[in-house]
């Protein structure tokens, strides 16, 4: 007869018991147990057929250890997923998935929904004036006051070229929440999944639903720091082979966004030299041109299950030649090898 060693929820390991299959009313856990066992044997055998001798009367200690670690990881990732969904303030849900290895939630990452200013940096998040339009499509609205075109069409798709700033209606405007010029401020509308990549790129993000071309997907948020501080942190990050610094250089290069410790889903979006997301600078309540918000829009239709990527050297401008952009303010840095796999891959992230 087959027996299973059961850890009872809420009870210490000392109360574990061996139970026959007919005593277990947990089909999902049993299926996960079987899947984890099969996955471990597949990894050990490296694709070879699993023979009956692999299913011995007793589980080998290494298999048992793997199954326990996988179960603990599953619980930890579920708790992290719940925490992310408690903290986020947008419509889209966040899922977490790791079918690749035993990596659990990041230990030093804190989810935020908007910029977190470092000590000494002030973010003015209240506009001083707004529009009085009854229909922002046809009247002189906030973009016109700023000397630029309205960024969106009636399908909520962006219609301006990269490098052109977006001026959305703000808290002082008399138009309501359904105004067609309020897109980025409503946050991510799509359900996304943070998943473990299988080719050594760590975590990534994929969409769970189809995203139409030229649609707003997410903001890039993090800690706002000075460029001098970014220079110092950049050296540390390069030595670890990670890149989370994004220069706010729309009109000046005083500030940088660092999403290493504080960020949202965008923290986990990987680089690609042929990305499906494009960067735009956005101004809503804070009209300080030194501190634009960073919005990521789809460049094409993105199908459900497809990974989301953006070019880490992209600055919201059309020109992506190697001498015109620099993702980080620091020069003479350790170069990080790119693993994006694109036909047009430049070879390095920085």
């Amino acid at each position: 007869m087959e027996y299973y060693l059961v850890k009872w929820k809420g009870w210490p390991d000392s109360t574990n018991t061996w139970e026959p299959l007919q005593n277990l009313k947990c089909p999902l856990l049993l299926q996960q147990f079987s899947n984890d066992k099969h996955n471990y044997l597949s990894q050990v055998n490296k694709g070879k057929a699993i023979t009956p001798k692999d299913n011995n009367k007793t589980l080998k200690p290494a298999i048992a250890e793997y199954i326990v670690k996988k179960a603990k990881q599953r619980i930890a990732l579920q708790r992290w997923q719940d925490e992310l969904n408690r903290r986020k303030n947008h419509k889209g849900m966040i899922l977490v998935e790791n079918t690749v290895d035993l990596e659990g939630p990041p230990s030093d990452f804190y989810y935020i929904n908007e910029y977190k200013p470092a000590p000494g940096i002030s973010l003015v998040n209240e506009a001083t004036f707004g529009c009085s339009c009854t229909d922002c499509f046809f009247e002189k609205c906030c973009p016109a006051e700023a000397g630029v075109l309205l960024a969106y069409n009636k399908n909520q798709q962006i219609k301006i070229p990269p490098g052109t700033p977006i001026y959305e209606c703000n808290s002082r405007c008399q138009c309501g929440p359904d105004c067609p010029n309020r897109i980025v401020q409503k946050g991510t509308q799509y359900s996304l999944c943070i998943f473990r990549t299988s080719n050594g790129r760590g975590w990534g993000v994929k969409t769970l639903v189809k995203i139409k071309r030229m649609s707003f997907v997410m903001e890039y948020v993090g800690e706002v720091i000075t460029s001098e501080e970014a220079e110092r942190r950049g050296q540390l990050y390069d030595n670890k082979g990670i890149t989370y610094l994004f220069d706010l250089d729309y009109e000046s290069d005083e500030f940088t966004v660092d999403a290493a410790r504080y960020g949202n889903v965008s923290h986990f979006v990987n680089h690609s030299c042929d990305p499906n997301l494009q960067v735009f600078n956005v101004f809503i309540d804070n009209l300080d041109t030194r501190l634009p918000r960073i919005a990521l829009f789809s460049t094409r239709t993105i199908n459900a299950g497809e990974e989301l990527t953006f070019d880490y050297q992209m600055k919201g401008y059309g020109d992506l030649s190697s001498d015109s952009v620099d993702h980080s303010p620091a020069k003479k840095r350790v170069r990080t090898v790119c693993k994006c796999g694109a036909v047009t891959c430049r070879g390095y992230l920085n």
Side-chain angles (χ1 to χ4, degrees):
M1 183 181 287
E2 223 172 30
Y3 283 84
Y4 293 80
L5 181 61
V6 177
K7 165 74 172 68
W8 296 99
K9 190 173 181 179
W11 292 82
D13 288 345
S14 59
T15 61
N16 290 358
T17 58
W18 286 95
E19 300 290 339
L21 185 60
Q22 65 263 29
N23 286 6
L24 303 181
K25 311 301 180 187
C26 48
L28 178 60
L29 284 175
L30 286 167
Q31 185 61 50
Q32 288 174 341
F33 177 93
S34 176
N35 290 345
D36 290 344
K37 177 183 174 184
H38 184 272
N39 288 341
Y40 178 84
L41 292 172
S42 297
Q43 291 173 21
V44 171
N45 294 329
K46 295 182 179 178
K48 295 177 184 177
I50 298 173
T51 62
K53 72 176 184 179
D54 293 312
N55 294 306
N56 293 327
K57 291 183 179 180
T58 60
L59 277 185
K60 294 178 181 177
I63 302 176
E65 183 183 6
Y66 174 84
I67 290 173
V68 170
K69 284 182 177 178
K70 198 67 185 174
K72 289 181 176 178
Q73 177 204 47
R74 193 175 287 115
I75 293 169
L77 291 178
Q78 181 63 52
R79 286 175 178 166
W80 185 42
Q81 178 178 295
D82 294 342
E83 179 189 353
L84 294 176
N85 284 288
R86 281 196 305 270
R87 292 184 178 275
K88 59 97 174 168
N89 64 0
H90 52 76
K91 179 182 176 182
M93 296 297 291
I94 304 171
L95 275 70
V96 177
E97 175 188 286
N98 186 352
T99 60
V100 174
D101 55 29
L102 292 170
E103 187 73 18
S107 58
D108 194 25
F109 174 74
Y110 306 93
Y111 196 95
I112 58 175
N113 293 292
E114 57 188 23
Y115 284 162
K116 175 184 173 64
I121 295 177
S122 175
L123 299 180
V124 179
N125 281 320
E126 185 176 354
T128 54
F129 62 88
C131 73
S132 54
C133 304
T134 54
D135 189 335
C136 293
F137 256 127
F138 299 105
E139 298 177 52
K140 191 176 182 181
C141 190
C142 300
E145 292 290 347
V148 297
L149 294 172
L150 182 73
Y152 310 114
N153 62 24
K154 290 194 174 183
N155 294 321
Q156 301 183 346
Q157 295 167 298
I158 195 160
K159 63 179 185 180
I160 58 175
T164 309
I166 299 171
Y167 280 84
E168 289 197 358
C169 291
N170 57 58
S171 56
R172 291 292 182 106
C173 295
Q174 294 183 25
C175 55
D178 295 328
C179 168
N181 193 34
R182 297 180 185 271
I183 301 296
V184 171
Q185 61 195 264
K186 290 183 178 179
T188 299
Q189 301 296 299
Y190 307 103
S191 291
L192 306 174
C193 178
I194 300 170
F195 74 103
R196 195 72 177 168
T197 63
S198 58
N199 60 351
R201 292 177 298 128
W203 296 100
V205 178
K206 61 185 176 183
T207 177
L208 298 175
V209 295
K210 184 178 180 180
I211 299 175
K212 292 181 180 179
R213 62 186 297 271
M214 313 310 286
S215 298
F216 170 66
V217 179
M218 70 180 78
E219 267 193 85
Y220 191 91
V221 303
E223 186 182 9
V224 178
I225 59 177
T226 64
S227 293
E228 290 76 19
E229 174 64 11
E231 173 79 31
R232 187 188 71 80
R233 294 187 188 184
Q235 300 285 356
L236 299 174
Y237 296 159
D238 281 346
N239 290 332
K240 295 179 181 178
I242 59 176
T243 309
Y244 293 109
L245 298 175
F246 201 114
D247 290 344
L248 298 179
D249 57 0
Y250 170 64
E251 277 200 353
S252 65
D253 58 356
E254 292 182 48
F255 301 109
T256 297
V257 176
D258 181 5
R261 292 188 70 202
Y262 300 95
N264 62 1
V265 178
S266 65
H267 167 99
F268 302 98
V269 176
N270 279 313
H271 162 85
S272 175
C273 297
D274 183 22
N276 51 25
L277 300 179
Q278 167 74 46
V279 174
F280 283 85
N281 295 291
V282 187
F283 299 94
I284 307 175
D285 279 312
N286 189 345
L287 300 177
D288 187 341
T289 55
R290 300 173 304 164
L291 292 163
R293 289 164 69 164
I294 304 300
L296 298 170
F297 286 77
S298 57
T299 59
R300 57 173 174 78
T301 299
I302 306 174
N303 294 316
E306 192 173 344
E307 183 175 2
L308 302 174
T309 58
F310 74 96
D311 191 330
Y312 283 6
Q313 295 188 20
M314 192 181 288
K315 308 309 293 177
Y317 300 92
D319 186 0
L320 287 175
S321 61
S322 60
D323 59 350
S324 68
V325 290
D326 184 16
H327 181 62
S328 166
K331 304 295 187 290
K332 297 181 181 177
R333 302 271 287 272
V334 177
R335 302 199 76 186
T336 304
V337 174
C338 180
K339 300 177 182 177
C340 76
V343 175
T344 55
C345 182
R346 295 188 296 268
Y348 295 93
L349 296 187
N350 50 357

